[in-house]
Amino acid sequence: MKHHDREALLRQIQEVEFATLELNLYLDTHPTDNNALIQYNQLSNQLLMLKQQYDMCYGPLLNFGFSPSQYPFRWIEGPWPWERQY
Amino acid sequence: MSYQATNNQEQMTSAHYHIYPIPFMPLYPKLANAYVPYQRFVSAFPLSEALEKGTLFPELYDPYVPENKKWGEVK
């Protein structure tokens, strides 16, 4: 794994997620721009991999619907955003 | 992923739906009508820069600087 740093991985997820959102908005009005669509698809795949990687290393990113949880339910584990010390 | 399907779909629709179905600006703009120039995707900021700047598209990056904005002034 390239990312041992939790914050760096979160930041990378934010960056890729923002770029996919931007391309989403562009594609709403330019649905046949294949170049933009190719980049959107690449970034979407990258985003999914990054989120799965985060999930595996540090626990769930979302409270429900994205990934199953080990026992006991891992969502309630800290740190919460206001307890960040990593 | 099926590139074949994409090509077929393009062939089917290309007659009336090109990559840019709308011109950048109308050839003959009408008076008293407002137009928004149609964006064309040419380049993107590096992803970390895009997040900082709040847009992926260099052509849309236009931070507000009060002293530069005077009536009638072209940037």
Side-chain angles (χ1 to χ4, degrees), chain A residues 59-73:
Chain A
L61 262 179
L62 300 177
N63 51 343
F64 72 94
F66 182 64
S67 57
S69 173
Q70 294 156 320
Y71 179 88
F73 190 45

Side-chain angles (χ1 to χ4, degrees), chain B residues 19-67:
Chain B
I19 294 175
Y20 296 117
I22 301 168
F24 176 70
M25 280 289 273
L27 206 50
Y28 304 105
K30 290 197 239 167
L31 288 175
N33 280 255
Y35 301 91
V36 176
Y38 194 65
Q39 185 188 357
R40 289 172 185 200
F41 177 43
V42 259
S43 63
F45 283 129
L47 301 195
S48 60
E49 205 179 327
L51 185 63
E52 297 286 340
K53 291 187 160 156
T55 180
L56 182 64
F57 307 103
E59 63 271 27
L60 293 184
Y61 180 63
D62 187 14
Y64 178 67
V65 186
E67 56 268 29

Side-chain angles (χ1 to χ4, degrees), chain A:
Chain A
M1 294 276 163
K2 255 194 328 197
H3 303 280
H4 295 289
D5 185 0
R6 183 173 183 165
E7 205 157 358
L9 183 52
L10 260 185
R11 167 78 191 195
Q12 208 191 342
I13 289 172
Q14 281 185 308
E15 288 172 4
V16 175
E17 194 156 50
F18 178 70
T20 50
L21 170 62
E22 284 283 271
L23 285 166
N24 158 217
L25 296 175
Y26 178 86
L27 285 163
D28 280 347
T29 52
H30 302 64
T32 54
D33 188 333
N34 209 18
N35 175 36
L37 186 60
I38 287 166
Q39 299 212 32
Y40 170 80
N41 285 336
Q42 281 172 352
L43 285 169
S44 299
N45 289 332
Q46 200 188 336
L47 181 61
L48 186 61
M49 285 194 299
L50 286 168
K51 283 181 170 176
Q52 283 168 343
Q53 190 184 331
Y54 184 93
D55 214 280
M56 280 194 310
C57 299
Y58 305 112
L61 262 179
L62 300 177
N63 51 343
F64 72 94
F66 182 64
S67 57
S69 173
Q70 294 156 320
Y71 179 88
F73 190 45
R74 292 199 64 190
W75 173 250
I76 57 169
E77 281 173 22
W80 293 95
W82 56 91
E83 300 169 333
R84 275 179 14 162
Q85 278 158 6
Y86 44 82

